[in-house]
């Protein structure tokens, strides 16, 4: 216990130093070891004016970590025998197609989960339908139009999107970037299709399915897609951009919740990692938990750890760091940063959530890995 306390003390000292040097807003950190949450601390502030301290239960946007919850929901339907990973999407969503229908008829659930469907990465539709999108693109009078032009969208087009099915149908204008299954591009928008599929198969909203099948069983009672409830919660974060700490628009986008608009806490995500690390079968069979963590395709983006082994599974990045396998997913938008990382060999899980921009979530996570790996 003394040795563990020394390690945790090193981590606290490091984070305090980094927060002092890099920000006066805040972050929260939780660490899982085997079956226990051994560390949960907040550093700095969740909100400015008036100041409010951040802690392990502060509700924060988790951005693309949300994709992992959508993937786990899909895997639960696989376990129930209601779908198969290698079924074409059109078997459940017959209205789904792209400009090349012959190719898109081949796109399976696994392809979308692993970003190997052929979709390009810069579609923009799922984020541009945010209700406060004009507030997000408000630095100049023309910024919103420039964003539309970049994504080859029109304002009328995004205003017509009223449901997840509408997003799925929108893909008819998409030109595939490569043959199905023959490449990798991180297409955030495609995860809306997965939620549409879940809703068509189950007959209920993805949010209700998520709460019943994942959040309640894992005691994640401060994780939600309800942006209004989060904003009303006294212990929730606001987000601050740059050295001037300009408060940014709240990240809200109900239709696109599965791509990045869930809200959680460091402690809740630690409970989530504990499930994935221990494969305790509370919400999914161990073999299917392992299937999510199995690499599907090497990624085509910059490698975080400098290795050449970074790959993507089913809503998990996999990599090697200092000789051990790392499984993780992060997220970010404007002044939101999130990261959850596991080292299965060590029974170790790390969660870092920031309400400001930068790369400090990676640096803090790497410090925790260094301490426990023994560097």
């Amino acid at each position: 216990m003394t040795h563990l306390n020394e390690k945790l003390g090193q981590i606290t000292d490091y984070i305090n130093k980094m927060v002092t040097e890099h920000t006066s807003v805040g972050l929260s950190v939780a660490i899982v070891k085997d079956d226990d949450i051994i560390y949960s601390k907040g550093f700095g502030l969740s909100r400015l004016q008036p100041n409010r301290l951040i802690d392990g239960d502060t509700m924060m946007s988790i951005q693309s970590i949300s994709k992992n919850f959508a993937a786990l929901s899909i895997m639960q339907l696989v376990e129930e025998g209601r779908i198969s990973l290698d079924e074409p999407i059109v078997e459940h969503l017959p209205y789904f197609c792209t400009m090349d229908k012959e190719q898109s008829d081949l796109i399976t659930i696994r392809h979308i989960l692993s970003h190997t469907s052929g979709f390009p990465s810069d579609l923009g539709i799922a984020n541009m339908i945010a209700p406060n999108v004009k507030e997000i693109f408000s630095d100049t009078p023309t910024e919103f139009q420039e964003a539309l032009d970049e994504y080859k969208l029109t304002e009328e087009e995004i205003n017509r999107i009223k449901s997840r099915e509408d997003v799925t149908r929108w893909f008819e204008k998409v030109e595939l970037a490569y043959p199905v299954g023959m490449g990798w591009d991180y297409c955030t928008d495609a995860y809306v299709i997965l939620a549409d599929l879940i809703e068509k198969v189950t007959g209920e909203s993805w949010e209700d399915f998520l709460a019943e099948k994942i959040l309640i069983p894992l005691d994640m009672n401060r994780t939600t897609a309800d942006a209004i409830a989060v904003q009303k919660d006294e212990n929730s974060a606001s987000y601050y951009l740059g050295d001037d700490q300009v408060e940014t628009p709240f990240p809200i986008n109900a239709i696109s919740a599965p791509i990045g608009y869930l809200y959680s806490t460091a402690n809740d995500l630690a409970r989530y990692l504990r499930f994935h690390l221990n494969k305790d079968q509370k919400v999914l069979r161990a073999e299917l938990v392992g299937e999510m963590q199995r690499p599907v395709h090497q990624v085509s983006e910059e490698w975080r750890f400098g290795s050449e082994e970074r790959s993507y599974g089913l809503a998990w990045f996999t990599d090697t760091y200092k000789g051990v396998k790392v499984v993780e997913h992060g997220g970010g938008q404007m002044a939101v940063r999130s990261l959850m990382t596991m080292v299965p060999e060590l029974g170790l899980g790390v969660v870092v959530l920031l309400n400001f921009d930068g790369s400090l979530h990676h640096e803090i996570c790497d410090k925790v890995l260094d301490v426990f790996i023994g560097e």
Side-chain angles (χ1 to χ4, degrees):
M1 181 60 72
T2 300
H3 187 49
L4 176 60
N5 288 339
E6 289 175 356
K7 289 184 175 182
L8 300 181
Q10 290 179 45
I11 291 165
T12 299
D13 290 346
Y14 176 82
I15 298 173
N16 278 325
K17 178 176 181 292
M18 298 301 283
V19 169
T20 299
E21 292 177 357
H22 293 281
T23 185
S24 58
V25 278
L27 58 91
S28 56
V29 180
I31 302 173
V32 178
K33 188 71 173 70
D34 300 322
D35 199 36
D36 297 315
I37 299 173
I38 61 170
Y39 189 91
S40 171
K41 286 186 182 294
F43 299 81
L45 303 171
S46 62
R47 299 182 192 173
L48 307 178
Q49 299 174 350
N51 289 352
R52 181 177 177 90
L53 294 175
I54 200 168
D55 61 34
D57 288 320
T58 300
M59 299 179 84
M60 302 176 72
S61 171
I62 60 173
Q63 286 300 301
S64 283
I65 286 177
S66 307
K67 291 181 176 68
N68 202 276
F69 289 87
L72 180 55
S73 300
I74 288 286
M75 298 303 284
Q76 289 177 318
L77 294 181
V78 171
E79 181 176 47
E80 293 172 7
R82 301 168 81 175
I83 63 174
S84 168
L85 287 177
D86 296 312
E87 287 176 327
I89 292 291
V90 292
E91 291 194 14
H92 298 283
L93 306 178
Y95 46 82
F96 165 72
C97 68
T98 66
M99 290 180 67
D100 185 341
K101 186 177 186 305
E102 184 176 348
Q103 272 286 295
S104 56
D105 281 354
L106 303 176
I107 295 173
T108 66
I109 297 168
R110 188 190 303 273
H111 287 137
I112 293 184
L113 282 170
S114 60
H115 298 293
T116 56
S117 59
F119 301 141
S121 62
D122 56 352
L123 298 177
I125 186 65
N127 281 308
M128 290 298 288
I129 60 173
N132 59 351
V133 66
K134 288 187 177 179
E135 186 182 354
I136 293 169
F137 294 103
S138 61
D139 284 350
T140 68
T142 61
E143 189 177 19
F144 173 61
Q145 185 59 52
E146 288 168 355
L148 289 173
D149 293 344
E150 179 183 350
Y151 294 124
K152 298 180 175 62
L153 298 169
T154 66
E155 187 169 359
E156 294 75 19
E157 185 178 9
I158 63 175
N159 287 340
R160 287 197 298 268
I161 302 290
K162 304 296 184 184
S163 68
R164 287 166 183 159
E165 180 176 321
D166 289 342
V167 175
T168 301
R169 290 181 180 275
W170 176 90
F171 271 74
E172 69 182 9
K173 68 174 284 183
V174 171
E175 182 176 358
L176 296 181
Y178 53 87
V180 176
M182 301 300 290
W184 187 88
D185 251 326
Y186 188 86
C187 181
T188 193
D189 314 79
Y191 267 61
V192 179
I193 298 174
L194 295 177
D196 184 20
L197 184 151
I198 292 165
E199 292 175 345
K200 295 304 191 296
V201 170
T202 65
E204 62 181 316
S205 73
W206 174 59
E207 288 80 358
D208 286 347
F209 184 89
L210 174 68
E212 176 189 354
K213 298 290 190 177
I214 298 174
L215 303 183
I216 292 172
L218 295 182
D219 297 321
M220 299 178 67
N221 57 17
R222 288 184 62 75
T223 300
T224 182
D226 188 341
I228 294 174
V230 173
Q231 291 175 87
K232 290 180 178 178
D233 194 293
E234 289 188 1
N235 191 12
S236 66
S238 297
Y239 304 93
Y240 302 91
L241 193 62
D243 294 338
D244 296 333
Q245 296 175 351
V246 176
E247 185 171 350
T248 64
F250 191 84
I252 179 171
N253 191 339
I255 292 174
S256 297
I259 79 164
Y261 293 91
L262 291 182
Y263 313 89
S264 189
T265 70
N267 286 338
D268 266 12
L269 290 178
R271 296 181 185 99
Y272 188 68
L273 288 188
R274 182 170 60 188
F275 153 69
H276 280 278
L277 281 165
N278 292 292
K279 300 184 177 69
D280 62 9
Q281 307 193 67
K282 182 176 288 187
V283 298
L284 190 68
R285 286 201 317 267
E287 67 196 72
L288 293 178
V289 176
E291 178 82 3
M292 292 181 69
Q293 300 174 19
R294 189 171 298 118
V296 173
H297 200 284
Q298 187 170 323
V299 305
S300 54
E301 62 181 26
E302 183 178 346
W303 298 300
R304 186 163 94 76
F305 294 123
S307 76
E308 295 186 359
E309 299 180 25
R310 193 163 182 83
S311 299
Y312 202 84
L314 306 182
W316 285 114
F317 286 95
T318 64
D319 210 335
T320 299
Y321 179 67
K322 297 187 175 178
V324 296
K325 179 182 178 180
V326 172
V327 181
E328 66 180 11
H329 212 295
Q333 184 197 59
M334 296 184 74
V336 178
R337 296 291 185 273
S338 62
L339 183 64
M340 60 178 188
T341 299
M342 300 186 295
V343 183
E345 180 182 325
L346 300 179
L348 180 69
V350 185
V351 178
V352 186
L353 305 177
L354 315 183
N355 64 343
F356 58 96
D357 54 319
S359 62
L360 195 54
H361 54 317
H362 287 153
E363 295 169 37
I364 289 171
C365 177
D366 294 353
K367 177 63 176 181
V368 175
L369 299 188
D370 289 344
V371 167
F372 279 89
I373 290 171
E375 295 293 323

